[in-house]
């Protein structure tokens, strides 16, 4: 397990970032909320060094987008985020509707941020904790006691599920777990839950603009 730590500014150890715009993506790749002309919100972007096995070429990034709309009473509309809320395995079919998108794309030479969404999350960078051995020991003990991984933001290892254990097809591998409080607290974009990213194992065969995995949330 590799625990994630979040920083305001990019460092030499950054492996991705949360929120803000993207300055290396083409406009025609940015996904829209299904059945609308509204663009999805950029959740996070993963740099090539996010994948320690070198599976993502140096000229490509992967970005995760989610459909969110602000609620008049505060927060976001549950009716939209429920479209990618997976509390039991049968819910996985919801993801085919495209309310969350994981896009792989060629990095272009744009220098200015592109942001097409109405709701923009604050920018944060993330990197792997240097206390890896201790974190792995904590994860091991937690698994022995609870039968699942720790409820922290982390790279790989074993997910912590708020509801049922979710196992997508063998084509997908668990790669990232994000806690809502590490991202933002204004909108409650995960409805006080946890976000999970599963990578398509065949990303080396994908074209720029293709879907590269699954992203969903789970909550109580």
């Amino acid at each position: 397990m590799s625990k994630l730590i979040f920083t305001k500014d990019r460092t030499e150890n950054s492996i991705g970032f949360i929120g803000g715009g993207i300055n290396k993506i083409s406009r025609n790749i940015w996904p829209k909320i299904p059945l609308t002309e509204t663009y999805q919100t950029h959740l996070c972007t993963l740099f090539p060094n996010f994948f320690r096995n070198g599976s993502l070429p140096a000229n490509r990034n992967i970005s995760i987008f989610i459909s969110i709309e602000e609620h008049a009473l505060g927060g976001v509309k549950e009716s939209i985020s429920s479209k990618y809320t997976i509390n039991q395995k049968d819910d996985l079919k919801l993801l085919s509707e495209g309310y969350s998108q994981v896009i792989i794309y060629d990095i272009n030479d744009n220098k200015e941020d592109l942001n097409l969404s109405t709701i923009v999350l604050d920018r944060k960078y993330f990197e792997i904790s240097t206390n890896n051995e201790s974190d792995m020991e904590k994860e091991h003990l937690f698994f022995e006691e609870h039968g699942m991984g720790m409820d922290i933001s982390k790279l790989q290892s074993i997910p912590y599920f708020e509801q049922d254990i979710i196992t997508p097809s063998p084509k997908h591998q668990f790669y990232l777990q994000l806690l809502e409080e590490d991202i933002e607290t204004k909108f409650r974009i995960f409805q006080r839950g946890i976000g999970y990213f599963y990578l398509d194992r065949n990303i080396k065969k994908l074209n720029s603009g293709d879907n590269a995995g699954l992203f969903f949330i789970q909550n109580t």
Side-chain angles (χ1 to χ4, degrees), residues 1-131:
M1 180 202 70
S2 297
K3 180 180 178 181
L4 298 181
I5 57 175
F6 295 81
T7 62
K8 180 179 179 181
D9 299 311
R10 184 170 181 170
T11 76
E12 61 181 9
N13 298 317
S14 297
I15 59 174
F17 65 94
I18 301 289
I22 310 172
N23 64 356
K24 301 295 182 181
I25 191 172
S26 299
R27 176 180 291 266
N28 65 331
I29 289 177
W30 199 294
K32 295 179 179 180
I33 298 176
L35 307 178
T36 75
E37 290 301 311
T38 303
Y39 287 95
Q40 295 186 16
T41 293
H42 169 242
L43 174 64
C44 67
T45 288
L46 313 175
F47 301 144
N49 64 338
F50 176 92
F51 302 94
R52 289 172 288 186
N53 60 3
S55 58
L56 186 64
N59 66 336
R60 285 189 160 184
N61 281 345
I62 289 178
S63 290
I64 300 174
F65 301 86
I66 56 175
S67 300
I68 49 178
E69 292 182 357
E70 193 166 359
H71 197 288
L73 299 178
V76 297
K77 294 180 180 179
E78 186 177 351
S79 59
I80 300 296
S81 60
S82 65
K83 299 291 188 179
Y84 50 96
T85 299
I86 310 299
N87 286 331
Q88 56 186 355
K89 190 170 182 179
D90 286 348
D91 294 335
L92 280 168
K93 60 181 179 291
L94 291 172
L95 299 182
S96 64
E97 298 179 20
Y99 283 84
S100 65
Q101 295 277 347
V102 179
I103 306 296
I104 186 171
Y105 56 92
D106 294 335
I107 297 172
N108 60 33
D109 58 359
N110 290 344
K111 295 183 179 180
E112 295 185 4
D113 274 1
L114 174 67
N115 204 332
L116 303 177
S117 60
T118 302
I119 297 178
V120 181
L121 305 178
D122 290 339
R123 172 73 59 85
K124 291 182 182 178
Y125 292 89
F126 56 88
E127 57 192 63
I128 296 172
S129 167
T130 57
N131 198 23

Side-chain angles (χ1 to χ4, degrees), residues 148-196:
M148 61 177 67
M150 295 175 65
D151 54 343
I152 59 173
S153 294
K154 62 186 177 182
L155 174 64
Q156 294 185 301
S157 191
I158 307 167
Y160 174 92
F161 287 114
E162 301 272 49
Q163 300 281 350
D164 290 353
I165 294 174
I166 304 300
T167 52
S169 70
K171 169 184 177 179
H172 295 104
Q173 178 182 356
F174 172 69
Y175 247 90
L176 181 66
Q177 176 173 289
L178 292 173
L179 264 61
E180 184 177 66
E181 55 263 37
D182 286 332
I183 300 174
E184 62 84 44
T185 57
K186 176 183 177 182
F187 293 109
R188 295 293 184 187
I189 58 173
F190 296 164
Q191 300 291 327
R192 294 177 169 80
I194 296 175
Y196 308 87

